[in-house]
Amino acid sequence: MSKRVLILVEGQTEERFVKDVLGPAFFAKELFFHPTILVTKRVKDGPNFKGGVTNFAKFESDARRLLESAGDGLVTTLLDYYRLPADFPGMKSRPANVAARTRAQHVEKAVAAHFGSSGNFLPFLALHEFEAWLFASPAELPRVMTEPHKQAEFAAIRANVATPEDINDRPEFAPSKRIEALFPSYKKTLHGPNAIARIGLHKIRSECPHFHAWMNILEAFAAA
């Protein structure tokens, strides 16, 4: 029996990831993903503005809308932990002097608790952002950028941390900032999904434990 996952994503890059990489990986398990880009502004006439997380109230509105339409499906999210608005539940009470993964999990649990007894709601925050996963295989992005001579520099960033998810979330050291400094022509919506597709979920899971834990829960939902 097939099941569905409604996934609230931050922007077009994450939407492409769901459609081109994540979704096809679960076809055999009969789990089907339906991405929705977060609406940042609703207008009376014409299309709404989409992409990016501006505040918790707008996120909550979209999340509750998905929950109301989910039925027996699962609702999850794909948002960057980096620069998550401070008004999100759990952000101001994050424990200090602990691993970034623990801090992100604290926020995920607080967001879930805010929605009460919704057993089909699974908040997920990418540590620290989508671009971190590009470091799971340092060879692929330089190839996609047609600058393979920069592979050593790119690999050195990855070698300096325990996992790609540990790349710093300070503005000057965030994964995307590291990439843009090395590849000035990098375009997230174009090069990001292309490189991720070449890397593959298996490699990302082996390198990124927080992402892997999310995949485990999705697989368990598919098998239940």
Side-chain angles (χ1 to χ4, degrees), residues 7 23 30 35-38 45-46 68 92-93 95 110 124 167 176:
I7 178 167
E30 294 192 77
T36 297
I37 298 177
L38 186 70
D45 298 308
E68 289 171 1
K92 294 179 180 178
S93 60
F124 172 74
I167 296 176
S176 60

Side-chain angles (χ1 to χ4, degrees), residues 39-153:
V39 174
T40 55
K41 181 180 179 182
R42 295 187 182 279
V43 295
K44 186 174 181 180
D45 298 308
N48 294 320
F49 292 93
K50 294 185 177 183
V53 186
T54 54
N55 59 58
F56 180 71
K58 287 175 180 161
F59 163 81
E60 181 178 19
S61 176
D62 281 6
R64 291 198 182 280
R65 191 172 294 105
L66 289 186
L67 284 166
E68 289 171 1
S69 64
D72 58 359
L74 179 71
V75 176
T76 189
T77 67
L78 177 46
L79 310 178
D80 290 344
Y81 178 63
Y82 172 58
R83 286 187 171 176
L84 193 70
D87 64 346
F88 264 63
M91 285 294 285
K92 294 179 180 178
S93 60
R94 288 174 294 174
N97 303 316
V98 297
R101 180 183 177 188
T102 302
R103 288 164 63 84
Q105 288 172 330
H106 172 83
V107 176
E108 289 169 347
K109 291 176 182 177
V111 171
H114 177 86
F115 285 82
S117 59
S118 297
N120 63 333
F121 185 44
L122 175 65
F124 172 74
L125 301 172
L127 271 173
H128 283 95
E129 56 182 342
F130 173 87
E131 276 85 355
W133 303 338
L134 298 175
F135 289 88
S137 180
E140 299 304 335
L141 184 61
R143 290 172 181 163
V144 168
M145 300 302 302
T146 65
E147 297 185 74
H149 60 282
K150 293 184 178 180
Q151 181 178 330
E153 293 177 80

Side-chain angles (χ1 to χ4, degrees), residues 195-218:
I196 285 291
R198 293 173 64 130
I199 293 169
L201 286 185
H202 178 75
K203 183 62 176 176
I204 299 172
R205 293 181 71 163
S206 70
E207 291 283 312
C208 303
H210 189 58
F211 178 84
H212 179 60
W214 184 45
M215 292 295 99
N216 283 343
I217 296 174
L218 294 176

